[in-house]
Amino acid sequence: VIVVICFISAAFAKYLPKQKQTPITVISKKVSLPPPPPLISKVLYITKELPDFLNQMGKRESSNRYDIVNKFGYMGKYQFGRKTLNKIGFKHISNTQFLTNPSIQEDAMLKLLKSNKHTLRRQIQKYVNTHRHGVYITESGLLAAAHLAGAGNVKKFLRTGKDKQDGLGTPLTEYLTKFGGYNLASLN
């Protein structure tokens, strides 16, 4: 049906009144556009906060499992060793209590982060937002690396570039980069 209508319309087109066509004049003019609104840049910026940091650390250390113990005896979501737990004030907590109580593990992680932040305060002030031995340094990266290899090994890396590895072969520079850029201001 449509084909027939098109054919008939085309046949009678010569009898329809012709429409007058007006020529188009093109004027070339340079126009400067205003800059994009600031909202665009703010939409692209995503802030990663302490809960995000803890979730990603837990995921990397243990797949966020509170009940896991690795072959070296490191325990829980953040893979704490007994020596570290004792050092930060958890001597009175047994390994079983630690493994069965997520809130104790979260408290221990916050205490360790605060302790490492205090220990590394001079390095944080001196090196954050700089490149050192080819690695961009952030506070969260330093604290993650200290969790992996100890604050002393982080200091040594910043001085010498020696990239300490844990028992599984993970270098502290992996944690410096992977966990860099989190806003940990709420640790104060």
Side-chain angles (χ1 to χ4, degrees):
V1 174
I2 296 174
V3 175
V4 173
I5 293 172
C6 290
F7 180 72
I8 293 171
S9 298
F12 289 102
K14 61 183 176 183
Y15 300 109
L16 295 173
K18 291 188 178 182
Q19 291 188 355
K20 189 177 179 182
Q21 294 183 351
T22 0
I24 298 174
T25 308
V26 178
I27 300 172
S28 176
K29 184 179 177 184
K30 286 188 177 181
V31 178
S32 60
L33 298 173
L39 180 62
I40 291 174
S41 62
K42 289 181 182 174
V43 170
L44 298 176
Y45 182 75
I46 299 171
T47 303
K48 301 179 289 183
E49 302 287 337
L50 179 61
D52 306 307
F53 176 81
L54 293 172
N55 181 54
Q56 290 304 311
M57 282 286 291
K59 189 181 288 186
R60 176 65 178 87
E61 293 283 309
S62 70
S63 300
N64 281 322
R65 288 187 52 198
Y66 290 101
D67 61 340
I68 197 165
V69 179
N70 78 4
K71 66 182 180 180
F72 299 109
Y74 292 93
M75 306 176 288
K77 179 178 177 180
Y78 303 107
Q79 295 293 280
F80 276 95
R82 185 77 250 170
K83 186 176 172 183
T84 300
L85 287 172
N86 292 347
K87 180 184 160 205
I88 60 172
F90 289 84
K91 289 179 187 173
H92 63 286
I93 302 292
S94 72
N95 291 354
T96 303
Q97 287 173 309
F98 184 76
L99 286 166
T100 57
N101 194 329
S103 66
I104 292 174
Q105 292 184 39
E106 296 299 333
D107 287 347
M109 185 60 170
L110 291 175
K111 271 194 168 183
L112 180 63
L113 287 170
K114 288 175 183 180
S115 173
N116 284 336
K117 185 173 182 173
H118 178 76
T119 302
L120 295 170
R121 65 191 178 282
R122 289 184 184 93
Q123 289 73 21
I124 289 169
Q125 187 174 16
K126 183 174 182 178
Y127 296 111
V128 164
N129 296 324
T130 67
H131 282 83
R132 194 80 180 139
H133 308 293
V135 178
Y136 185 71
I137 305 299
T138 67
E139 180 183 60
S140 60
L142 289 173
L143 295 179
H147 176 76
L148 177 76
N153 284 315
V154 170
K155 288 179 179 183
K156 188 182 290 184
F157 168 78
L158 293 169
R159 279 192 321 271
T160 67
K162 181 167 174 35
D163 194 4
K164 176 77 172 162
Q165 295 181 355
D166 73 352
L168 298 171
T170 306
L172 70 82
T173 51
E174 180 180 317
Y175 273 44
L176 278 172
T177 56
K178 182 175 180 66
F179 297 105
Y182 288 85
N183 177 7
L184 302 184
S186 62
L187 272 178
N188 295 331

